[in-house]
Amino acid sequence: MKKVSKNYSQNIILDILIETLKKNNPQLKKLKKFPISKSIHLLGYIDSFGIMDFLDIVEKKFSIKFKNNEIGVEDITTLKVFSKIILKKIK
């Protein structure tokens, strides 16, 4: 797994998050426009097990660690919000 630099912008982080999700979810691969401002959990694109897997992959990819009370499900599954949180965490 390729690690990312701390010099990435929010848009690049969003692209990485979308690419990561599409690799593991055939349903998401078909999307032409990815819903970055809506919860992919509430839209039914990812379940609670998928969220945990996604979080684990993201933590490894960005070399960061989130505490249990640091972020919620909606923070993780709304990619625009999650990308901002990651950007703050890696700076």
Side-chain angles (χ1 to χ4, degrees):
M1 180 179 312
K2 190 167 80 173
K3 303 248 176 169
V4 296
S5 164
K6 292 188 181 217
N7 296 323
Y8 280 89
S9 68
Q10 183 182 359
N11 286 335
I12 292 173
I13 292 171
L14 270 169
D15 289 343
I16 292 168
L17 294 176
I18 290 167
E19 178 185 316
T20 300
L21 284 164
K22 284 185 173 185
K23 277 184 185 175
N24 298 316
N25 189 323
Q27 187 179 11
L28 293 175
K29 286 180 187 177
K30 298 175 187 175
L31 292 179
K32 290 186 181 10
K33 184 170 173 150
F34 211 91
I36 63 168
S37 297
K38 295 181 181 177
S39 170
I40 57 173
H41 179 246
L42 292 179
L43 292 172
Y45 291 123
I46 192 169
D47 63 14
S48 56
F49 292 112
I51 293 169
M52 297 309 295
D53 290 342
F54 178 55
L55 182 59
D56 186 52
I57 291 167
V58 167
E59 286 179 331
K60 288 176 184 168
K61 190 170 280 211
F62 289 97
S63 299
I64 56 177
K65 188 73 178 157
F66 292 103
K67 296 175 185 164
N68 289 342
N69 62 350
E70 199 169 2
I71 56 174
V73 170
E74 291 308 307
D75 296 331
I76 298 167
T77 62
T78 306
L79 299 185
K80 193 170 186 179
V81 173
F82 196 31
S83 64
K84 287 179 185 178
I85 292 169
I86 292 169
L87 188 59
K88 286 180 187 175
K89 190 92 169 160
I90 62 176
K91 293 223 172 206

